[in-house]
Amino acid sequence: MREKIHIYHTNDVHSHFEKWPRIRKFLKERKALHEANGEDVFIFDCGDFVDRWHSFTEGTLGKGNVELLNDAGYTAVTLGNNEGLTLPHDVLNHLYDEAEFDVLAANLYLPGGTRPSWALPYQIYKTSKGTKIGVTAATAYYRPLYKLLGWELSEPLSELENQIAELQKQADIIIVLSHLGMHDDQKIAENNPRVDLILGGHTHHVFMNGKKVNHTTLCAAGRYGEYIGYIEGEVDTKNFNASLFETAVLDSPPNAAEYIKDLDEIGKDLLQTEVVTLPEPLDYSWLEQSDLPAILCEALYKWCKADCALINSGLILSALEKGVVTKYDLHRMLPHPINPCVVELSGAELQEVLVKAEESGLSELEFQGLGFRGVMMGKFVYHDIEYGKDGRSIKIAGAPLVREKIYHLATLDMFTFGVFLPPIKNARSKIYYLPEFVRDLMEWELKQRYK
């Protein structure tokens, strides 16, 4: 009788726990079914399972997410940029202390070139019939940002080639857990024909029935737990049939709503630390001038010690009432894992940024991603920038903009990653501030104003 294995995979769940009760139920039931039939089951996550936009993740600093993965019976996970770049060094270093699964991250190092004890370059799993399944993994190459947090990254494609070469000597089947994105996964398959499966993520792409590249099958399950990936593999023939289960049509456990609510309540309870007491309420608007976006923009300006500052008002998702403000209130208002950034622009480039911000209709754009967890971009808000209606009479710190002068603009890291404001994305110099999020700057500023 031919040996059959079953592989389930998720990626880019981003703490979207509204889908989790169905995912959990499905994985537990399927695992029990296969094991009852004497067949081996492996469950993998390809990164960005942790996302601090959710109060449960924020309150537990990701350790609650690890408990969920334990409970669902995962075999191994890899890091996404949300695990790697939104947690301070010591927090990430202890995130998986209670993990009952392996953490694979071949290209993550400590300064000096040693590996963290919890991050394995690969692992070999042996089936009940003795087949050796070698699994390695790599995360997206944001090396300068990791460096700011006290980590080192090796270039992922060359690192994976080294690990795959080692696995070729030891394993019958080779699997890569990739948080590199669709295009890099294609390159891995083209350059490493001995790889059998690449389970992908990062770019939130979907392969409904996998994608064959030479010998290798590429798999991906979208984002936010919308799909669960499944591969049925015949070991002897190395025939892998990939498919996706749509989570929305799976059976929901009877207590799903209560389960989801409980996670939020746990986070809320953990975030009840008092930050400040407000003598008056502070409002917000995405389309008009309002209190909270202006306060945040000034906080960014002062924190970064820049010449001027720019944010989008869509960052603010709730008002603050008069009275006690807690960390939960600030998290609800600013859930985004977005960091401060300073970019160096010429006056001409800064003028181009402001014209696009004011006159391109960008403020009405609805989007999510790049750390932004809101609804729409919203009106752009400035500090020490005056924008004339004709786009020409611009003042920086009260003085007319000089096109040849170099300015330091405090802004959001998402504008350096996205295509919204090209001069910022292409800036000659970028300084990132990690691990502070914009909500940390808001807390700092409110404490200064309302001691």
Side-chain angles (χ1 to χ4, degrees), residues 424-442:
I424 293 179
K425 179 179 174 62
N426 301 321
R428 59 179 63 79
S429 172
K430 303 167 188 172
I431 301 173
Y432 296 97
Y433 293 78
L434 277 77
E436 298 84 7
F437 290 153
V438 287
R439 59 178 168 270
D440 298 316
L441 272 61
M442 177 65 87

Side-chain angles (χ1 to χ4, degrees), residues 387-401:
Y387 183 83
K389 292 299 181 184
D390 60 1
R392 291 187 176 85
S393 54
I394 298 171
K395 292 185 177 180
I396 308 298
L401 178 143

Side-chain angles (χ1 to χ4, degrees), residues 65-84:
N65 295 60
V66 172
E67 291 177 9
L68 299 184
L69 292 167
N70 284 342
D71 180 47
Y74 274 71
T75 308
V77 307
T78 193
L79 300 182
N81 44 288
N82 272 264
E83 285 89 0

Side-chain angles (χ1 to χ4, degrees), residues 3 17 51 63 68 92 118 164 197 253 345 380 391 429-430:
E3 181 181 6
F17 300 129
D51 193 318
K63 283 185 175 287
L68 299 184
L92 177 57
W118 49 267
I164 291 163
L197 290 169
L345 302 174
F380 284 85
S429 172
K430 303 167 188 172

Side-chain angles (χ1 to χ4, degrees), residues 51 98 233 320:
D51 193 318
E98 306 301 322
L320 292 178

